[in-house]
Amino acid sequence: MQHSVVRDGSSVVKRVRGRAALALGLAAVTVPLVVTAPAATSAADDRRPARPWDAYNLSPSDRTIRPVAIFATQGEVTDPQAVLKGRRTALSGAGASVTLDFGKEVSGLTTVNFAGSDGPQKVGLAFSESSVYAGQPTSDASTGGPRSRDGALSTDVDGRTTYTTPAKYLRGGFRYLTIFLESAGRVELDGVSLHFTPAPKMKDPARYANHFYSSDELLNRIWYAGAYTVQLNTIAPKTGRVWEAPAQLWDNGGTIGVGDTILVDGAKRDRTVWPGDLGIEIPAAYAAFNDTVSARNALTTVYQHQRDTGELPYAGPMLEKYGSDTYHLWTLAASWDYYNYTGDRRWLADVWGRYKHAVEYTTGKVNDRGLLSITGTSDSVRILAKGENLIANVLLWRVLDTGSRLAAVQGDKELAASYAERAKALRTAVDTHLWDEAAGAYKFYPDSPIHAQDGNSLAVWYGLADREKARRVSAKLTGNWNSVATTAPENKGNPGVFSGSMEVNAHFAAGGQAADKAGVDIIRRQWGYMLNHPQGTKSTFWESFRNPEDGCVFCSSYVSLAHAWATGPTPALTFYVLGLNVTGTGGRTFDFVPHTADLSFAQGRITTTYGAVDASWKVAKGEYSAKLNAPRGAEGRAGVPTFGSRIDVYVDGKKVWDGAKGKARGNYHAYTDGEYVYLNGLRGGHSISSDRLGAR
């Protein structure tokens, strides 16, 4: 395709032919000249106290947002940048167009103000997430039907006219809006805006419950881009994708769940509850927003569509797909995440019968070797083979392990013991039949030479693998990295995005200096690549992408560029790098155990049912200091990193761990595993510090 950019009615300044090449040092990149508006794109709110992390917040405080730049024009366009300032931009002649850039991924209902026309005219609107597909008179693909593109909205203009997108044509995710003249006359436009519809229950979308800030600017940007991606995937349940796909255009007027806010897989598409995505999205939504209501509504929706057999959906309404043993298990695993963050006993009691029925549906497929042998083969990025699949068995272990705790909450001691015993037996079977001692990783299937990224990552992240195995798996996974990303051997070596989110968390869960460093390194490499790539949105993370040598990044306009399963770094940075995470249901207990990696400081917050827990830490010359402030009623455990040395540890200036004697002092029941000195029973506000022996 060809773009032209025109300033102030002058002749063409710059043309760009073809698709932009890969960036970030991989190849030369050519992009259209961009004319920017004076307005800043930062969401930092002048009404709030200045805080350094606000500079990274991409969410708008005002739900009315406007484009910030002209990406390109075609044909006769007079004064294109005028419309950015509320003045008149004119399009003359059929095919004349202006492509507006919102500066980041947005979502909602578009309003265009036309200042006039020379008689009745017809104008089109087309939407695009990526610059690769921007500037064309047809929108990205989002419907899932046979069409490769969605087409464009059309409106009649006769004199001064205001057009607002009808509700069913809400555009779920885009950065670029192309306004083009379909008829042969002239129209003038003097204003374009968008009503931002995500996160419908947030009064101020930029006012997050939690935050993260560190010594690494790129990690800060990635945390907030992940949060913003999840926010765009938090929608009103009556604004989901209609299925079957309409014959023309698209329809986001579908009811896809209960309540008034819900988590879905993607902003542009599918705008549907997919249980696998919830495994990443629920922790991310909690880490950023303390949003558990959207998670509850998504899970409730899935349980409401359980079949009589006990099978849970592969995808919720309106898709209503079945036939996936892994996604069936993701719902059950995500149910623990929700309960762990909230302690919502009423919800648990409401779904408990369905939960147990779903567990029995799956455990009925456990064979005489003690392994789950799947028959429902649909999965995230491919159809699995039937049989003893790794990720399915890891997920079942997670469900039985956490289900034992849920059964105890329900007062069913017999079932709690049964689930725990079955989890123990399954772990033994997995270690016996799927562990490859020579490779230091788990096999995809017992007879497969592949060591899958997803199943190995989950085995470490969820704790099925013991510490020795976990660290060997972490090292094995780093061997699959290429210049820009993790890769998934089980998916033809393509970059792992969903599975990559699992891997990020797995490295930190493995622990140790090498694994922690691997965790931050791959976040910088892969998520930095997605965030900075000129063909991306510069604000959100993608459903998938291709290896650089493939010659295209997305290879289809159907690929979602704001996809919740790609947001694994956001909870990983909070739960591991900052080190704050809940450990008891509803936040009654929490951990503050930082994985400092190569950072010099971090600070942030999680919000529990008791209130906000704030923490910060610094590392200088091998010594550690931290501050912790917990709400009344919450009790925490802190881990003080030893950095491989014997250390003394102090709380509020008093020594509580004597490193020379390896002995606790005071009331915090301190102990060490060699990598941390742990302090228990922390309540309220404290300062914590360490000295290497002989340093004081």
Side-chain angles (χ1 to χ4, degrees), residues 86-259:
R87 302 200 304 266
R88 296 190 180 196
T89 292
L91 308 179
S92 301
S97 71
V98 58
T99 300
L100 302 164
D101 181 0
F102 282 82
K104 60 187 176 185
E105 182 94 347
V106 293
S107 177
L109 299 169
T110 302
T111 294
V112 183
N113 296 318
F114 294 95
S117 66
D118 60 349
Q121 303 295 334
K122 188 170 289 292
V123 175
L125 285 76
F127 304 84
S128 174
E129 287 187 299
S130 171
S131 59
V132 174
Y133 306 107
Q136 300 183 25
T138 182
S139 303
D140 287 352
S142 75
T143 64
R147 290 170 280 118
S148 62
R149 302 295 292 269
D150 281 357
L153 301 176
S154 186
T155 184
D156 295 319
V157 177
D158 191 359
R160 178 164 286 280
T161 306
T162 297
Y163 171 80
T164 297
T165 307
K168 67 182 294 184
Y169 296 131
L170 178 151
R171 195 67 185 177
F174 68 98
R175 174 172 168 171
Y176 303 97
L177 168 64
T178 298
I179 301 174
F180 59 96
L181 190 55
E182 297 180 85
S183 53
R186 174 185 171 94
V187 296
E188 295 179 341
L189 50 151
D190 62 0
V192 178
S193 63
L194 178 86
H195 174 64
F196 187 78
T197 57
K201 299 306 291 182
M202 290 183 71
K203 183 177 180 180
D204 179 351
R207 193 176 292 275
Y208 293 6
N210 303 322
H211 66 274
F212 173 85
Y213 180 60
S214 76
S215 56
D216 189 307
E217 182 176 8
L218 180 57
L219 296 182
N220 299 337
R221 291 176 59 215
I222 288 168
W223 191 94
Y224 279 93
Y228 186 56
T229 301
V230 171
Q231 186 173 75
L232 291 169
N233 286 249
T234 307
I235 69 172
K238 295 185 183 300
T239 63
R241 183 175 81 169
V242 167
W243 186 260
E244 299 283 338
Q248 298 179 1
L249 299 175
W250 60 92
D251 188 342
N252 284 325
T255 298
I256 50 96
V258 302

Side-chain angles (χ1 to χ4, degrees), residues 203-545:
K203 183 177 180 180
D204 179 351
R207 193 176 292 275
Y208 293 6
N210 303 322
H211 66 274
F212 173 85
Y213 180 60
S214 76
S215 56
D216 189 307
E217 182 176 8
L218 180 57
L219 296 182
N220 299 337
R221 291 176 59 215
I222 288 168
W223 191 94
Y224 279 93
Y228 186 56
T229 301
V230 171
Q231 186 173 75
L232 291 169
N233 286 249
T234 307
I235 69 172
K238 295 185 183 300
T239 63
R241 183 175 81 169
V242 167
W243 186 260
E244 299 283 338
Q248 298 179 1
L249 299 175
W250 60 92
D251 188 342
N252 284 325
T255 298
I256 50 96
V258 302
D260 48 17
T261 178
I262 199 166
L263 295 176
V264 295
D265 63 321
K268 178 179 71 175
R269 52 145 289 267
D270 294 320
R271 298 180 69 82
T272 301
V273 178
W274 286 87
D277 301 61
L278 297 178
I280 303 297
E281 190 173 18
I282 289 176
Y286 171 72
F289 308 110
N290 188 35
D291 179 11
T292 56
V293 174
S294 301
R296 182 191 68 209
N297 290 337
L299 290 167
T300 298
T301 296
V302 176
Y303 279 115
Q304 287 182 349
H305 288 79
Q306 185 178 37
R307 286 179 163 170
D308 291 343
T309 60
E311 182 185 5
L312 294 167
Y314 175 40
M318 300 180 69
L319 291 176
E320 295 187 15
K321 294 178 180 288
Y322 294 85
S324 172
D325 283 332
T326 52
Y327 272 47
H328 169 95
L329 288 164
W330 275 114
T331 295
L332 301 175
S335 297
W336 165 256
D337 291 333
Y338 169 74
Y339 185 77
N340 188 42
Y341 300 145
T342 64
D344 188 345
R345 288 173 177 259
R346 177 177 294 180
W347 178 83
L348 180 61
D350 286 344
V351 303
W352 187 240
R354 295 177 183 271
Y355 181 98
K356 291 188 295 181
H357 194 22
V359 172
E360 293 309 308
Y361 170 82
T362 299
T363 55
K365 299 183 182 185
V366 173
N367 62 22
D368 57 5
R369 298 210 301 177
L371 291 173
L372 166 61
S373 183
I374 65 170
T375 57
T377 57
S378 295
D379 194 55
S380 57
V381 293
R382 75 282 195 219
I383 300 299
L384 297 168
K386 292 182 180 180
E388 299 162 328
N389 173 266
L390 173 61
I391 191 172
N393 277 277
V394 175
L395 283 166
L396 178 56
W397 177 84
R398 173 71 166 181
V399 168
L400 292 170
D401 181 60
T402 58
S404 175
R405 285 173 268 179
L406 294 175
V409 171
Q410 286 296 102
D412 192 337
K413 295 181 181 179
E414 183 177 349
L415 186 60
S418 174
Y419 281 175
E421 186 63 29
R422 282 188 267 180
K424 182 179 178 181
L426 182 56
R427 185 204 294 262
T428 299
V430 169
D431 283 344
T432 300
H433 300 294
L434 291 169
W435 177 253
D436 185 340
E437 178 63 22
Y442 295 95
K443 293 177 285 187
F444 193 28
Y445 290 84
D447 297 325
S448 173
I450 295 172
H451 302 92
Q453 180 188 30
D454 56 7
N456 273 281
S457 297
L458 274 194
V460 176
W461 182 17
Y462 284 166
L464 181 147
D466 62 28
R467 187 162 82 167
E468 180 183 355
K469 285 186 174 71
R471 293 186 178 179
R472 293 186 67 191
V473 168
S474 172
K476 175 72 172 178
L477 289 168
T478 63
N480 294 330
W481 297 359
N482 64 25
S483 62
V484 300
T486 68
T487 65
E490 70 275 25
N491 185 30
K492 302 177 182 179
N494 286 316
V497 181
F498 182 27
S499 54
S501 284
M502 302 175 208
E503 180 178 330
V504 164
N505 286 273
H507 288 302
F508 294 116
Q513 293 180 352
D516 288 348
K517 184 62 164 55
V520 294
D521 283 350
I522 197 56
I523 291 174
R524 292 169 179 139
R525 184 183 304 200
Q526 179 164 328
W527 280 264
Y529 177 83
M530 286 190 277
L531 184 57
N532 291 324
H533 201 288
Q535 295 179 13
T537 68
K538 299 292 185 76
S539 56
T540 53
F541 296 125
W542 314 336
E543 175 186 20
S544 63
F545 62 103

